[in-house]
Amino acid sequence: MPLHRHRSGTSRRSGTSRRSRLTVGGTLLAALTLLLTLPGAATAAGPDTADAPPARGTARMGQGVIEHDGQGGLPRDPRVVQTEGVDVSSHQGNVAWQTLWNSGVKWAYVKATEGTYYKNPYFAQQYNGSYNVGMIRGAYHFATPNTASGAAQANYFVDNGGGWSRDGRTLPGVLDIEWNPYGAQCYGLSQAAMVNWIRDFTTTYRARTGRDAVIYTATSWWKDCTGNNASFGAVNPLWVARYNTTVGELPAGWPVHTMWQYTSTGPTVGDHNRFNGALDRVQALANG
């Protein structure tokens, strides 16, 4: 019997000890949970990855539109004929081109390069796949004016998919010049320096291909980072980004737009666009 009482006492003490440890553990967990909900807790616990810049090479057309310009409704029924198109990058991976073609998409632009350091690994599937289903297609370059000159980036673009041929199905290359996803929105350049950089790119692209590059931009960015420079409108077709019911104000120098990126939430591929004219006008741009 004494032995029995001894075991019983030990058991009671062990149970009490375990309960104490569980109580302490629960208290610590509750305290930690409270700490993480306090303002600034994420900073104290470590860097906030949500605010970290994206990886180099991952920038895509229109990435900053919603953040900087907001988003409204879809376009109203157009008063003139327009032709549906899409733009794609590595974010879309292998694209269902036949599905897009069947939905009425007739032209496409594919990201080829960024800076002088990145080539889209899905470029062949996207560029050739769109062509193979019957689309008129072209390539675009995401500019990073703080990493290399305009001429260097134009040459890199042409050498890695951004060229042009008079086959009636290849559109001229696009300079995607917009908010910097990796840092200061104007890439640390003055307005005059940005204009010179863009001219360096477009002049080099013209010399290499015989075509004037299309300029893709947003009006608010163009105002902030070029001072609303009006010197490109007479030569370079405009592709304007605005996610709203109308195309809105255009950058200085362009009386009309050629293309309009109007949403990033399309059903098959997010980024959808309208060419300002019927399909024969898309073909005319391809033919030069």
Side-chain angles (χ1 to χ4, degrees):
M1 291 297 291
L3 182 60
H4 175 73
R5 286 196 300 271
H6 176 71
R7 285 199 303 268
S8 178
T10 301
S11 177
R12 285 194 297 271
R13 285 194 299 274
S14 297
T16 301
S17 177
R18 282 195 296 271
R19 285 193 296 272
S20 298
R21 288 196 298 271
L22 288 172
T23 300
V24 171
T27 302
L28 288 173
L29 180 60
L32 179 59
T33 301
L34 177 61
L35 176 63
L36 291 175
T37 61
L38 292 173
T43 303
D48 185 354
T49 55
D51 293 331
R56 281 280 175 184
T58 61
R60 62 193 185 277
M61 192 173 273
Q63 185 166 337
V65 172
I66 294 175
E67 178 185 353
H68 293 275
D69 283 352
Q71 182 177 23
L74 292 174
R76 305 186 187 102
D77 290 338
R79 288 172 292 175
V80 296
V81 176
Q82 300 184 49
T83 308
E84 194 76 7
V86 295
D87 59 271
V88 298
S89 66
S90 63
H91 288 268
Q92 281 77 34
N94 291 324
V95 175
W97 290 111
Q98 191 63 54
T99 301
L100 285 165
W101 175 264
N102 293 345
S103 73
V105 173
K106 301 304 178 187
W107 60 274
Y109 266 101
V110 177
K111 180 179 178 181
T113 50
E114 177 178 320
T116 54
Y117 51 79
Y118 173 84
K119 294 181 285 186
N120 176 8
Y122 292 93
F123 182 77
Q125 192 277 344
Q126 296 174 345
Y127 193 70
N128 297 329
S130 54
Y131 183 93
N132 290 339
V133 299
M135 292 186 191
I136 302 171
R137 52 83 165 107
Y140 80 84
H141 173 80
F142 192 95
T144 55
N146 59 338
T147 65
S149 69
Q153 293 193 35
N155 283 319
Y156 186 76
F157 177 44
V158 174
D159 291 342
N160 292 284
W164 176 78
S165 59
R166 194 185 296 275
D167 61 1
R169 298 275 302 282
T170 303
L171 293 160
V174 172
L175 171 63
D176 177 2
I177 186 78
E178 57 176 299
W179 297 280
N180 177 13
Y182 310 117
Q185 71 169 6
C186 298
Y187 299 86
L189 273 64
S190 68
Q191 292 174 340
M194 183 64 76
V195 170
N196 289 336
W197 192 97
I198 295 169
R199 185 166 291 113
D200 194 27
F201 183 101
T202 55
T203 300
T204 303
Y205 188 83
R206 170 79 184 183
R208 287 290 307 274
T209 67
R211 293 299 307 273
D212 291 304
V214 176
I215 293 179
Y216 168 96
T217 195
T219 301
S220 62
W221 184 91
W222 192 262
K223 285 181 173 181
D224 289 342
C225 298
T226 75
N228 211 20
N229 185 275
S231 65
F232 296 93
V235 174
N236 301 99
L238 172 67
W239 187 352
V240 67
R242 187 172 190 257
Y243 300 168
N244 217 316
T245 55
T246 64
V247 72
E249 179 187 4
L250 300 180
W254 281 284
V256 296
H257 68 282
T258 299
M259 291 169 279
W260 169 25
Q261 186 189 56
Y262 67 87
T263 186
S264 61
T265 56
T268 303
V269 164
D271 293 354
H272 271 248
N273 308 268
R274 289 183 174 178
F275 193 96
N276 193 13
L279 184 59
D280 65 332
R281 301 315 304 157
V282 184
Q283 293 168 332
L285 180 62
N287 286 324

